[in-house]
Amino acid sequence: ERLLCKLSDISRRTHGHEHRTTKIVVSSLTLVRQHRNVISWLEDVSGLFQALRYENDGEVCVVQGPISSPRNVEEECHYHHPF
């Protein structure tokens, strides 16, 4: 995500907002930000979760969820899962 943010800024400054490359980068960034994972290893909770970040050099994954339809962020919790 960080790389795509930098690339998006560079592409906008270099090519402009309407350039094909800028649109591809922005589209990719949108997909990365909406990335969802199905987490089945939580014993007491299952469902669709959003991966937020990795901590401790990738040893722990922080996820938010479970995601309901329609989504209600206030009811979602954060979980830390060690790998």
Side-chain angles (χ1 to χ4, degrees):
E1 183 178 355
R2 285 183 277 176
L3 177 62
L4 285 172
C5 284
K6 290 178 185 178
L7 186 59
S8 173
D9 291 338
I10 293 169
S11 185
R12 281 189 190 114
R13 282 183 274 153
T14 305
H15 302 294
H17 292 281
E18 296 301 318
H19 194 272
R20 182 178 58 88
T21 303
T22 303
K23 289 180 180 181
I24 291 170
V25 171
V26 170
S27 174
S28 298
L29 182 58
T30 302
L31 287 174
V32 166
R33 286 184 173 160
Q34 294 176 349
H35 180 70
R36 309 259 194 293
N37 288 330
V38 175
I39 309 296
S40 60
W41 34 256
L42 295 173
E43 294 177 12
D44 56 338
V45 181
S46 64
L48 192 61
F49 290 77
Q50 179 179 7
L52 299 176
R53 65 184 172 277
Y54 292 96
E55 296 178 347
N56 297 334
D57 293 327
E59 293 179 7
V60 176
C61 180
V62 180
V63 296
Q64 179 177 338
I67 298 172
S68 59
S69 181
R71 189 166 185 182
N72 187 356
V73 177
E74 285 99 30
E75 293 181 359
E76 297 175 6
C77 299
H78 289 171
Y79 298 93
H80 293 75
H81 177 67
F83 284 105

